[in-house]
Amino acid sequence: MTGSPDTDRCIAGETELVDIIRQHAELSGHAYKTPGHWAYPTPFHLLLALARRFTAVPSPHDLVGMPDRLCYSNAANYALAHRGQGLVYAEGFALTHAGLDFHLPHAWCVRPDGTVLDPTWDDAPGRAYVGVPVADPLMWPVDGGGLFADFGRTLPLLRDGFPEAAIANVGRPLPLTGLPSLP
């Protein structure tokens, strides 16, 4: 049984993003030589282990888009300013727009119900978001750089994993089929 065309496109987009992350994990797993005691060999393995899927909904009319190409600091600062509404920072991959099928590393905010509030892009239905929802505001990259795009932030996460209770329990789990096993 299928839902609306927007829902079907979103689910197809999420599936595509998970497949892309899986492919990156498989390819980079052979190229990276990380110590065996590390929590994750690559950022892609970390995403596959911890990421969730989020639902794109139209942006609120009063949301004024923040500067392009600054998604990490945009999302972190917006989530910080709206913590009282239960927003958390999330980072991973997003599909730019239904029909374009272009995936990018990206950051956004997540509401308690698992829907996306993206201060950088307009949240058009049909977009897809797969990433890690981070509950700990001290980890949010308010100065930019991202958790998985900034080597200084990524290295400790790969080595040690996320601190206990740092991951928010929002969004939908990734499908377990077709995921590469962790070393």
Side-chain angles (χ1 to χ4, degrees), residues 26-48:
E26 290 171 353
L27 292 171
S28 62
H30 299 293
Y32 285 72
K33 302 297 180 210
T34 55
H37 65 278
W38 280 25
Y40 306 101
T42 72
F44 305 108
H45 288 85
L46 184 151
L47 279 169
L48 291 174

Side-chain angles (χ1 to χ4, degrees), residues 66 73-89 109 119 137 140 142:
M66 297 174 87
S73 61
N74 288 348
N77 284 304
Y78 196 89
L80 196 58
H82 296 87
R83 279 179 57 199
Q85 298 171 14
L87 291 184
V88 297
Y89 173 86
C109 300
W140 299 350
V142 294

Side-chain angles (χ1 to χ4, degrees), residues 4 19 31 34 41 49-50 58 68 73 78 94 96 103 105 118 127-128 131 144 183:
S4 72
D19 287 345
T34 55
L50 301 176
D68 287 338
S73 61
Y78 196 89
T96 57
H103 66 282
D118 191 330
R127 289 193 194 277

